[in-house]
Amino acid sequence: MTVRVEMGKDTGGAAVSMDLEELLATRLLVQGNSGSGKSHLLRRLLEQSAGQVQQVVIDPEGDFVTLGDRYGHIAIEASEHSERDVARFATRIREHRASVVLSLEGLEAEGQMKCAAAFLNGLFDAPREHWYPALVVVDEAQLFAPAGGGEVAEDVRRASLSAMTNLMCRGRKRGLAGVIATQRLAKLAKNVAAEASNFLMGRTFLDIDMARAADLLGMERRQAEAIRDLQRGHFLALGPAVARRPVAIQIGAVETSARSSSPKLTPLPQAPAEDFRDLLLAPAEPSWSPPVPMAASAPVPSERLIEALARATPMPVEAVPDVPAEEAAERIADVLRDIVEDAESTYRSPSVLYQDFLVRCRMVGLARPPLDLSGFVRRLSAARAGIHGDPDADWAQALDAARALPDDMLGPFLLVARAAREGLPCPSDTELAATYGTSSLGRVRRLLTYIESKELFVTRVDLAGKRSITIPRLGWTTQPSEMG
Ligand SMILES: Nc1ncnc2c1ncn2[C@@H]1O[C@H](COP(=O)(O)OP(=O)(O)OP(=O)(O)O)[C@@H](O)[C@H]1O
Ligand SMILES: [Mg+2]
């Protein structure tokens, strides 16, 4: 039985499709720079093949959960579950042949890797009677199968890499067909990339990635120069499931209502999505054991609960005389400064630091919580950016501009704002990471993209690779400086 999935049109306007069964046997690798249209391409593939084959998406950004609205995919928010839960869901997913999106949004890099490894191992270790065919789509695959060592613990990196290697090298027999996308081939482990026989190459700027793309496509380097000039949404495709020679495709639209009525590979169960969700996510039956937290650095799940607990703490209000407002403000500034100067505070979650703040305030004679959690996070962010005490008029303007940002982004924002106001060099990624309370440079880059998307930053990288940031609303610009 042949089921063809229409991906888009070639340069002559003829439809280009993929053979789904062939794809299941031969896997797919998608590469292209950020914005080249990889996620769109994956979505097109998923939408067009939804209902024909079981689909499992590992989604670092939580982009694909919207598939559920139209196609019934069940979204699993990894940050709400333990590693053990996620492995258990994977087993049920295989048993019930459910299409799901595992969103890893909100987890640190290490948590994402641990979770993806547990999930993939769960899929892989399913009993033989559940080895039904499934597409396993992994966006940003270099996060889970990095080419080199990174900022994460070695055992975590190894576990994640080995799960991805299993998926791509040994998954086929178990029905698992890896479809992976990456921004940078050079950043993806070679053995993981090498197991795909189908390739879709989008716009690629860097020579090192282009050279690897050319090798995989079996093209001359000169010919491969064409990859540099590809437009968004245009890809060169090659492989047994798509074409025997490289063909240029423009990927078609997504969220079309035209669900293909081609013959199904094997009929999937027709349970309504809600029942399915209950079935898959129900707690373990007899042998329930307490969940293992995903990562020590994962945020404390319920900040509100902690806030409520803080409020419930009996404070010896009567015993401490009221402190005049000005004096209190100074003490609060000192307490915040002490917290920032305590090296251990950098990677503690805001809610833990808030507890610390309350205790320290009581120690300096401030009985009532002088700030709520949100107010504390904003002040702490300002203090981390070197702004102590009440913001003066200029900072009020900056704080006003930053109103669109969540509290925890204020630190990096103000750090840049301060450098920009004083005409100092742009803070490095590492400095921004420390202000953001993370060690992940990936998170810092996502943070900058987010702030840019809110039009609060305009980033410019000069030919020497130095970055400067302008805050258009305030008309301030940093000096250019090294990013790393
Ligand atoms: N074939 C297409 N037709 C129409 N719009 C497209 C097409 N491909 C991509 N786009 C649009 O271009 C933008 C970037 O695409 P996409 O998010 O897929 O890029 P990406 O390669 O996944 O980038 P990143 O690596 O940063 O995740 C999106 O807004 C998307 O809707
Ligand atoms: Mg993407």
Side-chain angles (χ1 to χ4, degrees):
M1 173 174 54
T2 307
V3 177
R4 299 203 68 93
V5 180
E6 195 187 315
M7 292 301 293
K9 306 259 186 268
D10 67 12
T11 40
V16 180
S17 59
M18 281 213 257
D19 180 330
L20 191 54
E21 280 208 321
E22 190 62 42
L23 181 66
L24 286 168
T26 53
R27 299 164 295 273
L28 171 66
L29 168 67
V30 183
Q31 192 229 210
N33 289 151
S34 183
S36 57
K38 300 176 300 295
S39 300
H40 177 102
L41 183 157
L42 294 177
R43 188 181 286 273
R44 169 84 186 187
L45 172 63
L46 289 162
E47 288 185 357
Q48 295 291 312
S49 62
Q52 319 267 12
V53 65
Q54 185 188 355
Q55 305 177 335
V56 177
V57 185
I58 297 185
D59 179 6
E61 307 278 349
D63 285 340
F64 290 93
V65 295
T66 51
L67 284 170
D69 303 338
R70 190 165 195 132
Y71 300 97
H73 293 64
I74 291 163
I76 301 174
E77 291 295 338
S79 59
E80 293 170 6
H81 303 280
S82 71
E83 216 174 306
R84 193 180 303 193
D85 284 342
V86 165
R88 208 177 52 231
F89 300 158
T91 313
R92 295 211 184 124
I93 285 162
R94 297 238 51 198
E95 179 184 352
H96 299 293
R97 307 183 65 193
S99 287
V100 300
V101 177
L102 176 70
S103 162
L104 303 175
E105 199 192 1
L107 294 181
E108 292 280 351
E110 201 164 294
Q112 290 196 326
M113 289 172 101
K114 280 187 190 172
C115 182
F119 187 69
L120 284 169
N121 290 338
L123 296 177
F124 194 80
D125 295 336
R128 182 179 283 271
E129 63 271 25
H130 299 152
W131 288 358
Y132 303 110
L135 287 181
V136 181
V137 172
V138 184
D139 202 0
E140 310 285 0
Q142 77 285 349
L143 297 177
F144 311 108
E151 312 144 28
V152 298
E154 183 57 18
D155 57 330
V156 175
R157 189 188 68 86
R158 245 191 251 155
S160 172
L161 181 58
S162 125
M164 286 290 288
T165 309
N166 271 343
L167 168 69
M168 294 304 281
C169 301
R170 297 168 54 216
R172 177 183 166 183
K173 213 172 115 198
R174 292 170 159 76
L176 300 174
V179 171
I180 60 178
T182 182
Q183 287 183 357
R184 302 267 334 262
L185 263 177
K187 290 202 167 164
L188 183 68
K190 276 198 177 135
N191 59 337
V192 167
E195 288 302 323
S197 309
N198 301 285
F199 307 103
L200 282 160
M201 298 296 177
R203 187 177 49 194
T204 303
F205 296 126
L206 292 183
D207 288 344
I208 176 170
D209 296 321
M210 220 168 55
R212 287 197 59 193
D215 285 347
L216 289 171
L217 292 174
M219 288 170 107
E220 301 267 331
R221 295 284 154 88
R222 200 170 29 82
Q223 256 182 317
E225 282 285 324
I227 302 176
R228 221 193 284 272
D229 301 323
L230 287 170
Q231 307 263 325
R232 162 178 292 174
H234 290 244
F235 287 79
L236 278 184
L238 176 74
V242 50
R244 303 262 156 214
R245 297 225 166 74
V247 46
I249 317 186
Q250 176 174 9
I251 304 299
V254 292
E255 294 279 25
T256 52
S257 50
R259 249 171 106 166
S260 168
S261 54
S262 323
K264 293 178 168 38
L265 285 176
T266 44
L268 291 169
Q270 294 296 312
E274 269 317 303
D275 294 353
F276 241 37
R277 163 173 271 282
D278 292 346
L279 194 62
L280 291 171
L281 306 193
E285 279 109 36
S287 59
W288 166 254
S289 42
V292 181
M294 191 75 70
S297 58
V300 177
S302 174
E303 312 234 312
R304 255 192 247 119
L305 178 67
I306 292 186
E307 210 179 343
L309 286 175
R311 271 200 301 274
T313 314
M315 302 261 178
V317 178
E318 289 84 59
V320 185
D322 265 352
V323 180
E326 220 168 281
E327 172 66 27
E330 261 175 44
R331 291 188 199 174
I332 293 170
D334 287 343
V335 165
L336 283 165
R337 200 190 301 262
D338 287 347
I339 294 179
V340 171
E341 281 168 6
D342 177 355
E344 289 196 1
S345 78
T346 313
Y347 304 115
R348 292 217 179 112
S349 79
S351 38
V352 170
L353 290 176
Y354 183 55
Q355 287 296 303
D356 184 25
F357 170 72
L358 293 177
V359 171
R360 287 179 193 242
C361 282
R362 286 172 61 187
M363 282 162 60
V364 297
L366 298 171
R368 288 187 203 87
L371 294 168
D372 63 7
L373 178 60
S374 162
F376 166 72
V377 172
R378 293 184 82 82
R379 284 294 297 272
L380 177 70
S381 301
R384 278 180 169 159
I387 298 164
H388 298 285
D390 272 346
D392 62 23
D394 275 349
W395 291 121
Q397 195 190 353
L399 289 170
D400 192 47
R403 262 213 310 254
L405 298 178
D407 293 340
D408 64 336
M409 291 189 186
L410 205 62
F413 175 81
L414 287 176
L415 191 69
V416 171
R418 190 164 154 240
R421 184 172 80 158
E422 289 164 23
L424 298 172
C426 183
S428 68
D429 284 349
T430 320
E431 286 165 327
L432 289 167
T435 326
Y436 197 29
T438 179
S439 57
S440 154
L441 298 184
R443 274 196 81 201
V444 168
R445 281 188 286 271
R446 286 206 288 278
L447 163 84
L448 289 178
T449 309
Y450 181 84
I451 301 182
E452 280 180 284
S453 76
K454 298 282 169 197
E455 295 174 356
L456 285 166
F457 281 176
V458 175
T459 302
R460 188 174 164 274
V461 178
D462 64 20
L463 289 173
K466 291 189 172 172
R467 175 174 63 197
S468 54
I469 297 181
T470 299
I471 304 177
R473 211 167 295 176
L474 303 173
W476 301 343
T477 301
T478 70
Q479 292 293 319
S481 164
E482 302 286 347
M483 292 188 239

